[in-house]
Amino acid sequence: MSIIGAETFKWEDADKRNNIMFRMPRNIRFNDNIVVREDEIAVFFRDGKVLAYIDRPDRYALTSINAPVVGPIVKLLSGVQQQAEVIYLQKRVFDGKFGSKQPYPFRDKEFGLVNLRVFGEFRYKISSPANFVNQFVGTLNFATSAEVEERIKEQVVILVYDVLGDMKNQGLGVADIASNLTTIEQVILSRSKDHFDLYGILIDKISGLYISLPEEVQKAVDTRSSMQVLGANYIQYQTGQAMREAAQNPSGGAAGAGVGVGAGIGMGWTMLDSMRQAQQVPPAAPPQATIQCPRCGAQNLATNKFCAECGSPLTGARTSKCPNCRADVPPGSKFCPSCGANISSTKKCGNCGADVPVTSKFCPECGKPL
Ligand SMILES: [Zn+2]
Ligand SMILES: [Zn+2]
Ligand SMILES: [Zn+2]
């Protein structure tokens, strides 16, 4: 039987979509009917708190005072205040994305105060209709799902910060974050129950966690971890880095085009190796010192003991060394054939006996004052 002025309340699909909550625009009265579907909960709310809720699908006539489900609700609506708000909630899970609006200052042992930003995804559903409505509608006076979701996201970010803070106290540093993201996700998830019970929310999944470091800190962390992988020291790393950049430069020849970062590192490293080998090759010998044969005047290598031309012993010819460059100077020479120093005007160092230019104040051999 139909009562005049009665209205049937239901959550229209057009209003539903991705909304976790819908607040009916007008109060429900004693005569009205309530439709509750499989995926919904209807909450009766008055004076800032939840009176009761229905989570079994059906069409309910609030005039059926003896019905087991609506009887208690109708009793609550009796007396002077014969009306209440109805708020519909969805039972299904929702996916949300969170991200920090303000950076989180993380005091790191190595890097000092580092501003972190966190991003990620979570899956949630309403676990307690009463807590949910009391918290969001009662305490915060939220009317829309967008407001609710914004609040949940803020709370997730706060939870992530709590977890990071606690893990930091247990020794987590910014350099460890990237390799521990899965662990951090698990800790956030396990902590979320206590954190969100109050809101009537259950978070059953945290995924895609990403924690970004300021660019310069990220570079330093990358550098450090690359060094650990390669077992290299920092200077070697930087040399390799410079070569990697050179290798990636399109004008850098064959190494340039199409070489990925990984290959670039390998390339730099190989080049670095060849460089190190090159350094191990003894420096190119200076122009060979020669010595003039005292007998035939031929020029011989200073290391020769006998003249290659006449076979005379050359040892006796090595009578002097240039006091300036230490080259062997043929006996009787006035000037060093190697550096042009004036040989005739030399004196002997009193300490080591070296030939020293007369103008020198200190022996170039032993450093004693002359
Ligand atoms: Zn000779
Ligand atoms: Zn010389
Ligand atoms: Zn000396």
Side-chain angles (χ1 to χ4, degrees):
M1 126 181 163
S2 166
I3 296 168
I4 290 167
E7 192 172 333
T8 297
F9 280 71
K10 66 179 177 197
W11 194 356
E12 301 292 345
D13 284 336
D15 297 323
K16 201 164 182 175
R17 291 198 205 103
N18 285 320
N19 287 323
I20 196 169
M21 177 186 91
F22 180 65
R23 199 172 180 173
M24 277 292 160
R26 86 153 175 83
N27 286 356
I28 191 173
R29 291 184 299 244
F30 178 69
N31 307 348
D32 294 330
N33 300 311
I34 299 285
V35 174
V36 178
R37 289 177 296 183
E38 192 67 51
D39 56 349
E40 300 168 352
I41 302 167
V43 179
F44 296 80
F45 182 80
R46 190 171 71 198
D47 299 334
K49 64 176 189 182
V50 170
L51 299 176
Y53 60 86
I54 303 172
D55 65 355
R56 277 157 45 188
D58 208 339
R59 179 191 181 97
Y60 298 94
L62 294 189
T63 46
S64 309
I65 198 158
N66 294 321
V69 176
V70 295
I73 293 169
V74 172
K75 276 186 185 161
L76 289 166
L77 297 179
S78 64
V80 182
Q81 279 197 300
Q82 294 187 21
Q83 56 184 22
E85 281 190 76
V86 168
I87 295 153
Y88 279 103
L89 307 177
Q90 292 217 44
K91 288 180 180 173
R92 71 175 176 88
V93 294
F94 282 79
D95 292 307
K97 286 183 163 64
F98 62 88
S100 45
K101 288 176 183 161
Q102 301 296 322
Y104 174 66
F106 183 100
R107 190 168 289 284
D108 184 82
K109 264 184 272 177
E110 257 179 291
F111 296 98
L113 204 59
V114 176
N115 284 326
L116 304 181
R117 288 181 182 274
V118 305
F119 307 93
E121 293 166 25
F122 63 106
R123 201 169 66 186
Y124 64 102
K125 65 176 184 178
I126 294 170
S127 57
S128 160
N131 281 4
F132 183 85
V133 172
N134 281 334
Q135 182 66 30
F136 290 104
V137 183
T139 308
L140 302 166
N141 200 29
F142 286 171
T144 68
S145 285
E147 289 173 312
V148 169
E149 183 144 333
E150 193 57 33
R151 176 74 174 180
I152 297 174
K153 288 175 181 183
E154 283 169 15
Q155 295 300 310
V156 171
V157 170
I158 289 171
L159 174 62
V160 174
Y161 290 169
D162 283 353
V163 168
L164 283 176
D166 289 348
M167 290 181 77
K168 181 194 70 185
N169 293 339
Q170 290 160 28
L172 182 86
V174 292
D176 309 316
I177 287 177
S179 56
N180 285 283
L181 286 175
T182 309
T183 308
I184 297 170
E185 283 176 354
Q186 284 166 354
V187 177
I188 294 166
L189 185 62
S190 73
R191 293 263 191 98
S192 67
K193 186 168 178 0
D194 287 346
H195 200 89
F196 283 94
D197 265 356
L198 169 71
Y199 297 95
I201 300 245
L202 174 73
I203 291 180
D204 68 358
K205 188 179 176 188
I206 297 277
S207 59
L209 182 64
Y210 173 65
I211 300 175
S212 77
L213 310 177
E215 194 182 345
E216 67 278 8
V217 177
Q218 185 64 60
K219 266 188 189 167
V221 169
D222 288 348
T223 299
R224 214 188 72 166
S225 54
S226 302
M227 278 167 14
Q228 282 167 349
V229 169
L230 298 171
N233 69 38
Y234 188 66
I235 291 170
Q236 281 178 330
Y237 172 78
Q238 285 208 315
T239 310
Q241 190 76 6
M243 291 186 168
R244 171 182 136 185
E245 276 159 26
Q248 285 175 334
N249 184 338
S251 65
V259 179
V261 169
I265 290 173
M267 165 67 81
W269 207 244
T270 309
M271 288 169 73
L272 193 61
D273 255 354
S274 351
M275 239 184 65
R276 205 185 296 119
Q277 281 162 10
Q279 280 168 353
Q280 283 162 356
V281 171
Q288 289 283 342
T290 55
I291 188 171
Q292 195 174 19
C293 172
R295 186 172 166 213
C296 73
Q299 292 294 331
N300 288 273
L301 287 176
T303 48
N304 287 0
K305 287 191 171 150
F306 299 96
C307 174
E309 287 294 321
C310 69
S312 298
L314 296 170
T315 45
R318 275 187 208 107
T319 50
S320 68
K321 280 189 183 292
C322 165
N324 186 48
C325 73
R326 311 310 300 161
D328 285 314
V329 178
S333 298
K334 288 194 170 173
F335 298 93
C336 167
S338 183
C339 72
N342 189 339
I343 309 277
S344 58
S345 53
T346 60
K347 55 188 178 185
K348 294 266 181 199
C349 168
N351 183 53
C352 71
D355 292 313
V356 178
V358 285
T359 53
S360 295
K361 290 193 168 140
F362 297 92
C363 170
E365 283 293 301
C366 70
K368 290 279 179 194
L370 300 165

